[in-house]
């Protein structure tokens, strides 16, 4: 049964109009003032209804212009496990993200090599023992083949690469770096590389806007030898 509360009526009516194609991706929906007049509500009620649709990922607010129907036109983000992305690389000693903490040594600092290509944040995390044996991974110079550095350090890798892809809400930093509209999820692809003795050599994480991109990846690798 449909609620007759003005706030709910606005949300449900606009959602229905969008689902029926009366407002298409990129179209402006009625303004806050127009909703006030149409439904006989206060500006606060109209604003709350529009913000609810923003939070639900249905609308995008554009400063000084109004609210627009969000589109979901996706294109691939190619995730390369073996090659570092081109462009500037920021190298820092950081604590690993909580979801990787157990794999990367709890609260121990790890080296993160970060590249931002506009479409995605690409992070590579290396435990301290790996950087000690392959020092170039801790330097700011680009590393074209980090697996070559690992191989030169006599670290033998397992051929299986566990992969995880999840959709989640972004952190404030990810929202800023990827210029995400409110209510936008991110897609996170994580590939974990192990050496033959079971220790983690590297965690590669690519994070992209969930409303613009899809992740394409290959999980089978042959290290040779």
């Amino acid at each position: 049964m449909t609620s007759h509360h003005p706030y709910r009526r606005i949300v449900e009516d606009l959602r229905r109009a969008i689902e029926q194609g009366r407002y298409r991706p990129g179209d402006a929906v009625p303004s806050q003032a127009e909703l006030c007049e149409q439904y006989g509500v206060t500006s606060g009620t109209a604003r709350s209804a529009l913000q609810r649709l923003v939070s639900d990922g249905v609308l995008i607010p554009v400063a000084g212009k109004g609210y627009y129907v969000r589109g979901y036109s996706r294109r691939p983000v190619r995730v390369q496990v073996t090659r570092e992305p081109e462009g500037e690389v920021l190298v820092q000693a950081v604590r690993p993200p909580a979801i990787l903490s157990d794999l990367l040594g709890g609260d121990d600092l790890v080296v993160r090599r970060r590249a931002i290509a506009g479409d995605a944040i690409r992070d590579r995390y290396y435990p301290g023992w790996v950087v000690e044996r392959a020092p170039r991974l801790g330097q700011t110079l680009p590393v074209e083949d980090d697996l070559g550095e690992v191989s030169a350090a006599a670290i033998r890798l397992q051929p299986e690469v566990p992969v995880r892809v999840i959709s989640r809400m972004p952190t404030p930093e990810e929202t800023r770096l990827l210029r995400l509209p409110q209510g936008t999820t991110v897609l996170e692809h994580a590939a974990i590389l192990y050496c033959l003795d079971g220790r983690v050599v590297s965690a590669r994480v690519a994070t992209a806007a969930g409303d613009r991109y899809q992740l394409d990846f290959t999980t089978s690798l042959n290290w040779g030898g």
Side-chain angles (χ1 to χ4, degrees):
M1 182 175 180
T2 302
S3 169
H4 293 287
H5 189 282
Y7 165 84
R8 294 303 311 166
R9 280 185 56 209
I10 296 172
V11 171
E12 292 165 3
D13 287 353
L14 284 177
R15 190 186 297 276
R16 187 179 304 110
I18 292 168
E19 291 172 349
Q20 292 175 350
R22 282 184 277 160
Y23 298 109
R24 298 186 177 277
D27 287 350
V29 299
S31 67
Q32 183 175 307
E34 290 170 333
L35 292 175
C36 288
E37 182 177 350
Q38 179 180 349
Y39 289 90
V41 298
T42 65
S43 60
T45 296
R47 182 170 58 252
S48 295
L50 290 168
Q51 281 297 319
R52 170 59 187 271
L53 291 170
V54 169
S55 299
D56 289 349
V58 177
L59 300 180
I60 293 178
V62 178
K65 293 185 177 182
Y67 293 81
Y68 293 78
V69 179
R70 167 173 281 180
Y72 289 89
S73 177
R74 303 181 189 275
R75 61 186 180 84
V77 172
R78 300 200 175 276
V79 178
Q80 295 180 325
V81 174
T82 60
R83 186 182 180 89
E84 187 165 88
E86 296 180 358
E88 183 180 0
V89 176
L90 177 64
V91 181
Q92 291 179 295
V94 300
R95 284 188 167 79
I99 199 164
L100 297 174
S101 179
D102 291 343
L103 290 171
L104 293 172
D107 290 332
D108 294 341
L109 293 179
V110 297
V111 168
R112 182 185 70 192
R113 299 181 63 86
R114 165 168 285 182
I116 302 174
D119 57 358
I121 302 169
R122 293 174 170 86
D123 292 328
R124 296 189 173 205
Y125 298 92
Y126 301 93
W129 71 270
V130 174
V131 178
E132 288 178 3
R133 295 175 63 173
R136 275 173 52 85
L137 297 178
Q139 300 172 4
T140 57
L141 295 174
V143 176
E144 181 175 346
D145 180 10
D146 64 335
L147 295 184
E149 299 293 325
V150 168
S151 177
I155 301 173
R156 300 286 301 281
L157 295 174
Q158 294 184 12
E160 298 82 13
V161 181
V163 173
R164 179 197 65 216
V165 179
I166 63 173
S167 177
R168 59 173 175 79
M169 296 306 296
T171 65
E173 182 182 32
E174 290 165 345
T175 297
R176 176 178 60 82
L177 292 175
L178 295 175
R179 301 181 298 280
L180 300 177
Q182 184 180 343
T184 304
T185 61
V186 291
L187 288 173
E188 179 186 274
H189 166 281
I192 312 299
L193 277 63
Y194 291 88
C195 62
L196 292 180
D197 65 10
R199 289 182 292 175
V200 173
V201 173
S202 175
R204 288 109 193 282
V205 181
T207 306
D211 64 340
R212 282 169 264 166
Y213 302 102
Q214 64 190 33
L215 292 172
D216 287 358
F217 56 91
T218 302
T219 59
S220 60
L221 296 171
N222 182 4
W223 306 121

